């Protein structure tokens, strides 16, 4: 890094103007079993070690990629991870695309500040529908979604929308959505709508078919909705109004239909 992107004047200037730059050793965070065993011995010799229960430490551990030796993370003052960049993957991608490393790294920083959550799409592409669309039928009665929600200003809505296509169930059924929140600070309400309902951007979700209100960080919730004929639904996920505006959290939703 020091001989590459961190030797670029434009990158350094952008970092110094917009960030508090720190680094933490993987040894201190006990990232592997070998490092855990080493730190267990070191604690007997040291009067003070890194506090792994601190919110910053938790954010780092939430953001790193398994088996990545070095990760660059952008973390908000509220300890929400805004961008994640495993550096081995970064260097490989730059080599394959021919993109200068300093340009790609600067874009990563800018996208993080713009709320585009770089690195999150890579993480969810294999585990969830990248277009946030679920299609259920008799052969596939269950599907999973992994994405993020963002906290709006108080009194407003800022939905991450999941389209749920259950038209194959012509005689209706019961739509079941099991939701688990990530471990970042914001909790989240989830509102289910008919596909032709215009989603509100302000006020309470009065037109929602049903809701799971304010599922806390790290906790689970469920939506159940009976329908008489096949149709398309929209699930809106947003942050609870009582959290910091713009703060984010991940959510995992398992969507299924029990046919009548």
């Amino acid at each position: 890094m020091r001989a590459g992107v961190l030797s670029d004047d434009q990158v350094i200037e952008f970092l110094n103007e917009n960030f508090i730059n720190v680094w933490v050793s993987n040894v201190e965070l006990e990232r592997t079993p070998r490092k855990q065993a080493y730190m267990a011995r070191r604690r007997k010799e040291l009067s003070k070690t890194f506090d792994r229960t601190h919110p910053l430490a938790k954010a780092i551990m939430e953001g790193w990629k398994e088996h990545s030796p070095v990760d660059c993370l952008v973390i908000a003052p509220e300890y929400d991870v805004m961008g994640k960049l495993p550096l081995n993957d970064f260097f490989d991608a730059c080599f394959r695309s021919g993109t200068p490393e300093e340009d790609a790294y600067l874009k990563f920083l800018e996208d993080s500040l713009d709320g585009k959550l770089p690195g999150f799409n890579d993480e969810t592409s294999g585990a969830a529908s990248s277009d946030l669309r679920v299609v259920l039928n008799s052969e596939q009665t269950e599907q999973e979604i992994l994405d993020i929600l963002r906290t709006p200003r108080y009194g407003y809505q800022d939905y991450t929308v999941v389209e749920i296509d259950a038209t194959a169930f012509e005689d209706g059924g019961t739509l079941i959505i099991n939701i688990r929140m990530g471990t970042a600070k914001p909790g989240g309400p989830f509102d289910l709508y008919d596909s032709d309902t215009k989603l509100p951007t302000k006020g309470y979700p009065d037109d929602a078919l049903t809701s799971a209100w304010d599922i806390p960080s790290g906790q689970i919730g469920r939506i159940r909705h009976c329908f008489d004929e096949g149709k398309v639904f929209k699930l809106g996920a947003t942050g609870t109004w009582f959290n910091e505006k713009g703060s984010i959290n991940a959510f995992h939703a398992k969507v299924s239909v029990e046919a009548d």
Side-chain angles (χ1 to χ4, degrees):
M1 289 286 286
R2 284 183 293 179
V5 296
L6 296 184
S7 64
D8 183 83
D9 291 341
Q10 186 178 7
V11 171
I12 290 298
E13 182 178 355
F14 190 83
L15 283 168
N16 288 338
E17 287 182 356
N18 295 279
F19 299 93
I20 298 173
N21 304 291
V22 298
W23 69 275
V24 179
S25 166
N26 285 332
V27 175
E28 293 283 355
L29 287 179
E30 305 175 30
R31 188 162 180 171
T32 66
R34 180 179 296 180
K35 294 179 174 62
Q36 292 167 9
Y38 172 79
M39 286 304 298
R41 295 193 302 269
R42 289 286 289 165
R43 285 196 199 94
K44 299 177 181 178
E45 305 169 7
L46 300 176
S47 60
K48 186 176 182 180
T49 59
F50 195 84
D51 181 6
R52 297 176 74 246
T53 66
H54 190 280
L56 177 59
K58 289 183 176 180
I60 294 170
M61 291 186 285
E62 174 193 338
W64 68 31
K65 180 180 178 179
E66 188 176 6
H67 306 308
S68 173
V70 181
D71 297 85
C72 179
L73 304 174
V74 175
I75 301 174
E78 301 81 16
Y79 302 111
D80 295 314
V81 180
M82 302 171 64
K84 52 182 72 176
L85 186 67
L87 289 187
N88 279 2
D89 295 351
F90 167 73
F91 293 134
D92 289 345
C94 289
F95 178 78
R96 290 194 303 268
S97 65
T99 304
E101 293 174 0
E102 58 271 19
D103 293 345
Y105 188 69
L106 187 59
K107 186 177 188 305
F108 161 73
L109 298 174
E110 292 172 340
D111 287 350
S112 297
L113 292 184
D114 289 341
K116 296 180 180 179
L117 303 174
F120 282 82
N121 289 337
D122 297 338
E123 179 183 84
T124 61
S125 59
S129 300
S130 58
D131 57 357
L132 292 188
R133 185 168 185 263
V134 171
V135 180
L136 301 175
N137 50 51
S138 58
E139 287 75 35
Q140 181 172 282
T141 60
E142 181 180 285
Q143 194 169 338
E144 298 182 17
I145 285 288
L146 176 64
D147 211 89
I148 62 100
L149 54 77
R150 182 177 289 102
T151 303
R153 59 186 285 197
Y154 186 88
Y156 286 76
Q157 307 291 350
D158 183 11
Y159 284 123
T160 295
V161 181
V162 180
E163 180 181 295
I164 303 171
D165 187 339
T167 54
F169 298 90
E170 297 180 357
D171 298 326
T174 302
L175 177 67
I176 302 172
I177 308 172
N178 291 312
I179 304 162
R180 179 179 293 276
M181 292 297 300
T183 56
K185 184 177 179 180
F190 293 77
D191 304 311
L192 184 70
Y193 295 90
D194 275 323
S195 62
D196 57 356
T197 300
K198 183 178 180 181
L199 270 58
T201 57
K202 185 178 181 180
Y204 288 93
D206 296 327
D207 294 328
L209 299 171
T210 186
S211 302
W213 284 99
D214 296 346
I215 304 173
S217 170
Q219 301 300 307
I220 60 175
R222 169 179 280 196
I223 285 178
R224 291 179 63 95
H225 176 70
C226 297
F227 57 100
D228 297 328
E229 59 182 6
K231 59 171 54 181
V232 177
F233 301 93
K234 290 186 290 191
L235 176 68
T238 186
T240 180
W241 288 344
F242 302 101
N243 283 302
E244 184 76 17
K245 178 182 179 294
S247 58
I248 61 174
N249 200 357
F251 69 90
H252 176 267
K254 184 181 290 186
V255 185
S256 61
V257 168
E258 294 180 354
D260 287 343

